[in-house]
Amino acid sequence: LTLQGKQVAGTLVTEKTVADAAEKFTREYEVITEGERSPKWVQGHQIRLRLHLLPFFGKMGLSEVTPGAVQDYRVHRIETATKAGAKTPARSTLHDEVVTLRLVLKAAIRHGWLTYLPDLSPPYKTQGKIVHRPWFSPEEYKQLYTASRDWARNPPQPQYRWNAEQMHDYILFMGNTGLRPDEAGNLQHRDVSIVTD
């Protein structure tokens, strides 16, 4: 009788649910990414599913996960936190949760339970906070390389001379090339060529 009532009301789900896809995703993701992803990363997906995504989306059919439903989820998460007097979830937290949901839906597509991936991007406020990179003014930069040069010439103890010289060269190199720290850290002799222009 319950099923007949749901059918009449149009709420009977005749397709795989998000919970079904989440279970399939969880099982295969952990096995396939073994050694490639840290256990904490995999556990993060499982926690997001258990705590937030499945209570909201779990009983929905896969085709019911529309851009509107995902936006309703974002609003629900913020409103729930506000009502409970808790801190509003950070932008990156909501993003991570939607990434987990996207992975679940991709698993459903792979198994033929869903035909296409809906657009899950946030419709408003797409740009996060703007972070300006810290920088030295020309005067500060001159003060830095002058101090490092003096330190390299007259280290407090002789055994520190080589390290002080390396540090001074590194400061000059970084200041004059504009390389980022990770790029400079990965730089090798084969990446550098002497060019006369």
Side-chain angles (χ1 to χ4, degrees):
L1 288 174
T2 305
L3 291 174
Q4 287 176 348
K6 284 184 178 179
Q7 187 173 8
V8 170
T11 58
L12 187 64
V13 178
T14 57
E15 62 180 333
K16 293 283 188 181
T17 63
V18 174
D20 296 329
E23 185 183 341
K24 191 78 167 171
F25 159 74
T26 303
R27 195 169 52 228
E28 68 185 22
Y29 188 77
E30 190 170 0
V31 173
I32 290 172
T33 60
E34 181 82 36
E36 294 175 17
R37 296 280 187 188
S38 73
K40 289 234 182 232
W41 179 263
V42 176
Q43 191 181 20
H45 288 305
Q46 294 168 351
I47 290 169
R48 285 188 283 276
L49 281 166
R50 189 182 77 247
L51 294 180
H52 304 295
L53 293 168
L54 288 180
F56 188 87
F57 291 107
K59 293 180 181 175
M60 282 188 186
L62 288 166
S63 64
E64 295 177 282
V65 181
T66 60
V70 175
Q71 188 60 14
D72 288 343
Y73 171 74
R74 289 186 183 102
V75 172
H76 164 76
R77 283 280 283 123
I78 293 168
E79 285 178 348
T80 305
T82 306
K83 285 177 189 170
K87 197 170 103 176
T88 305
R91 176 186 174 79
S92 60
T93 302
L94 288 173
H95 173 73
D96 290 345
E97 290 169 10
V98 172
V99 166
T100 301
L101 179 63
R102 185 180 286 117
L103 289 171
V104 168
L105 295 178
K106 282 183 177 180
I109 290 171
R110 276 194 303 277
H111 293 285
W113 301 341
L114 188 65
T115 53
Y116 72 97
L117 187 67
D119 179 17
L120 305 181
S121 59
Y124 314 113
K125 202 176 172 185
T126 52
Q127 184 164 358
K129 69 179 177 187
I130 298 168
V131 178
H132 296 285
R133 291 183 184 270
W135 59 285
F136 288 113
S137 68
E139 296 79 24
E140 290 170 329
Y141 176 56
K142 184 176 181 182
Q143 184 181 1
L144 175 65
Y145 74 70
T146 303
S148 69
R149 183 180 57 213
D150 293 343
W151 185 51
R153 288 180 182 162
N154 302 308
Q157 295 179 19
Q159 68 263 29
Y160 296 138
R161 178 179 299 280
W162 188 84
N163 288 334
E165 289 170 349
Q166 295 301 307
M167 183 65 173
H168 176 66
D169 290 344
Y170 186 70
I171 289 168
L172 293 178
F173 181 77
M174 294 296 285
N176 289 296
T177 60
L179 286 176
R180 293 190 173 123
D182 59 329
E183 294 168 340
N186 292 325
L187 195 65
Q188 297 180 359
H189 285 285
R190 66 180 180 195
D191 299 323
V192 180
S193 58
I194 299 170
V195 178
T196 305
D197 189 350

